[in-house]
Amino acid sequence: MSTRTSPTATATATASHRPTAISWARTAATAARVLRQLRHDPRSIALMLLVPCVMLLLLRYVFDADPRTFDNIGASLLGIFPLVTMFLVTSIATLRERTSGTLERLLAMPLGKADLIMGYALAFGVLAVIQSALATGLALWALGLDVVGSPWLLLVVALLDALLGTALGLFVSAFAASEFQAVQFMPAVIFPQLLLCGLFTARPNMHPVLEAISNVLPMSYAVDGMNEVLKHTDLTANFVRDAVVVAAVAALVLVLGAATLRRRTA
C-alpha cells in the first residue's frame, strides 16, 4: 500500500522547517543571484545608474542662466531622483520574479522570508551605493552644486533615499499583478510625496492638513536632510533626525515586505 503526500502537506512541512532567524550566508547567496540576473539586464542597470545623472545634468542647464536656482533645488532632487528610480526598477524587477514563479520556487526551499527580502535589499542596495556616488559626484564636481556642508553627508542622504526607494519597490510589488500595475503605484506612492515634500514650497506655507500629512511622509525628511547639508557647515541635530527617520522607514517597509511576501507567491 503506497502513500502519497499531497502538495498542501508538502508546503506545510516545508513552511514548518523554514528558518526563522536570518542567515547571512543565505542572504548573501540570494543577493549574489539577483546581481547575476541584473548583470544580464543592461537596461535596468542603465535606468538605475544613469537616469539620475542625466536628470541632474538636464536640470543644471535648464537653469543655466541662473545657477543659484540649481543650487537651491539641486540638493533636494539629488535625494528624490535616486528614490524614484530605485522604486520603479525594484518594483518591476521583483514583480518579474513573482510572476515567473522564481519566488515561489525559492520559498519552497528552506529559505527564510527575511533572508529572501534582505537578499533583494542587499543586491539593490549595492546598486544604490553606486548610483548615489555617481549622482553626488556629478552634482558636486562636474555641475558645480554649491553646498555648505560636507559632501559625505550629502552622499549619506542620497544613499538612504535610494535604499528607501528600494524598500518601497519591494513592498508594493506584493500588491501588483503585472508590470503595468507596478508602474501605476508610482502616482499613488511617489507623486503625493513629491508634491508635499517641500520641493515646490516650504511645508509650513501649506494648508495645515497638507502640512500634517507631509510630516509623516519619508520624502519630506529626505529633502529636509539635503537642505540641512545645503545650509549648515556642521552636522546638526535636525540632520541626524532626518537621516534616522528615512532609515527607520526603509527598515519598517522591508519588514512589511517580508510579511507580505507569501501573499503573491502562494
Side-chain angles (χ1 to χ4, degrees):
M1 180 176 179
S2 63
T3 58
R4 182 175 298 174
T5 304
S6 67
T8 302
T10 302
T12 302
T14 301
S16 64
H17 290 87
R18 185 171 296 152
T20 56
I22 293 179
S23 167
W24 293 113
R26 293 191 295 264
T27 298
T30 302
R33 183 189 63 82
V34 175
L35 288 174
R36 284 195 300 269
Q37 290 182 332
L38 287 173
R39 186 180 61 184
H40 300 292
D41 189 0
R43 288 177 296 182
S44 295
I45 293 178
L47 182 61
M48 283 185 282
L49 300 185
L50 299 181
V51 167
C53 296
V54 172
M55 296 300 292
L56 285 170
L57 182 65
L58 179 62
L59 184 70
R60 168 62 181 84
Y61 290 103
V62 164
F63 298 108
D64 189 48
D66 187 11
R68 184 173 299 178
T69 302
F70 177 72
D71 291 337
N72 291 334
I73 67 173
S76 298
L77 292 176
L78 183 59
I80 292 174
F81 287 157
L83 190 157
V84 173
T85 56
M86 292 303 293
F87 170 84
L88 182 61
V89 173
T90 305
S91 60
I92 293 177
T94 309
L95 182 64
R96 287 178 183 173
E97 298 270 84
R98 295 177 187 273
T99 55
S100 66
T102 301
L103 284 182
E104 186 174 0
R105 291 191 295 270
L106 289 173
L107 286 174
M109 301 170 60
L111 181 70
K113 292 191 293 183
D115 296 324
L116 195 59
I117 204 73
M118 287 302 297
Y120 276 84
L122 181 60
F124 285 105
V126 170
L127 294 173
V129 171
I130 300 173
Q131 179 200 71
S132 301
L134 288 175
T136 303
L138 176 69
L140 291 177
W141 294 297
L143 302 182
L145 179 65
D146 187 17
V147 296
V148 176
S150 170
W152 292 107
L153 296 180
L154 208 63
L155 177 61
V156 167
V157 181
L159 176 58
L160 289 176
D161 294 342
L163 293 175
L164 174 61
T166 297
L168 290 172
L170 288 170
F171 176 66
V172 303
S173 68
F175 304 98
S178 64
E179 293 182 14
F180 179 68
Q181 287 186 5
V183 174
Q184 286 180 314
F185 273 104
M186 180 172 286
V189 177
I190 299 298
F191 287 179
Q193 296 192 66
L194 186 62
L195 293 174
L196 299 177
C197 68
L199 178 64
F200 300 103
T201 185
R203 290 193 288 126
N205 297 335
M206 299 178 185
H207 188 279
V209 174
L210 295 181
E211 182 184 0
I213 295 174
S214 73
N215 288 337
V216 299
L217 298 177
M219 191 182 290
S220 300
Y221 295 91
V223 171
D224 287 349
M226 287 294 189
N227 289 332
E228 286 293 311
V229 181
L230 187 68
K231 299 175 182 177
H232 301 281
T233 56
D234 299 322
L235 182 67
T236 65
N238 287 337
F239 175 87
V240 174
R241 177 206 62 190
D242 297 332
V244 168
V245 168
V246 174
V249 172
L252 175 62
V253 173
L254 283 177
V255 172
L256 294 175
T260 59
L261 191 58
R262 187 181 298 177
R263 179 178 302 178
R264 300 303 301 179
T265 55

